[in-house]
Amino acid sequence: MKRNLSYLTYSKGADGGVSVLYGVEAIKETYWNWFEYKDLTYSVTSNGLALDGKHALDYADAVHGDQSGSGNDIMYANGGDDTVMFAGDSVGDNVIYRFDQDDKLVILGNKEINANGNYLDYLSVYDDGLLFTCGDSSISLVGLTLDQVHESQFVLA
């Protein structure tokens, strides 16, 4: 079944795992308020979560690349626990600077990727660092060598 990837919601848990959610319209929160439980239902909008039709919560800081599907983005990791996510079959040729041992590269919904496959099958060494290739798309990890990355940094789904 082919899905329109522009309608996906990504959720990052406290453990660093990323969940992909389809068609989410609301998120319910239950909390203890003195002597009773209270429920809040937030609407999912493109700008954040809304409560009773008013903006309530911003999404976590994120940088969005080219949404046209052509890719060819240049990105800079912030230096700690960054998650860089690509979804779809053609993500273009992208470059990531300052990717380090606490960062993750997530590839979703790419027909060239074997879900839960070995990340080393897609990595090669090139002049400026490492090159992750999936079909006609690539992601350059500038300045890295194979001994500087580990399996937990790559999520293939």
Side-chain angles (χ1 to χ4, degrees):
M1 178 165 134
K2 186 170 177 132
R3 298 186 194 272
N4 182 342
L5 295 176
S6 65
Y7 295 104
L8 297 177
T9 300
Y10 303 100
S11 173
K12 183 177 178 183
D15 65 352
V18 177
S19 297
V20 181
L21 310 171
Y22 297 95
V24 175
E25 296 177 7
I27 296 175
K28 183 177 179 180
E29 174 185 15
T30 302
Y31 66 97
W32 180 254
N33 186 17
W34 294 94
F35 300 105
E36 63 182 339
Y37 285 103
K38 296 274 187 169
D39 291 330
L40 294 176
T41 302
Y42 297 94
S43 299
V44 176
T45 72
S46 60
N47 296 318
L49 300 180
L51 186 61
D52 297 326
K54 296 180 181 163
H55 182 76
L57 298 169
D58 290 326
Y59 295 125
D61 290 337
V63 176
H64 302 278
D66 185 333
Q67 302 252 341
S68 70
S70 62
N72 303 329
D73 295 309
I74 297 174
M75 293 161 265
Y76 294 84
N78 288 332
D81 294 326
D82 296 312
T83 300
V84 182
M85 185 177 304
F86 295 93
D89 289 330
S90 182
V91 298
D93 296 312
N94 302 278
V95 179
I96 303 173
Y97 291 94
R98 298 194 305 244
F99 191 85
D100 66 25
Q101 71 269 5
D102 295 324
D103 298 330
K104 286 190 187 302
L105 179 63
V106 179
I107 310 294
L108 300 171
N110 186 299
K111 67 183 176 190
E112 302 294 330
I113 299 293
N114 178 16
N116 299 317
N118 187 335
Y119 74 102
L120 291 172
D121 294 342
Y122 306 97
L123 269 182
S124 59
V125 177
Y126 82 113
D127 293 339
D128 292 331
L130 298 177
L131 187 65
F132 188 97
T133 55
C134 44
D136 62 352
S137 300
S138 67
I139 302 158
S140 299
L141 303 173
V142 177
L144 292 179
T145 61
L146 284 173
D147 62 337
Q148 292 175 301
V149 295
H150 49 87
E151 184 177 10
S152 66
Q153 290 183 272
F154 297 88
V155 178
L156 310 177

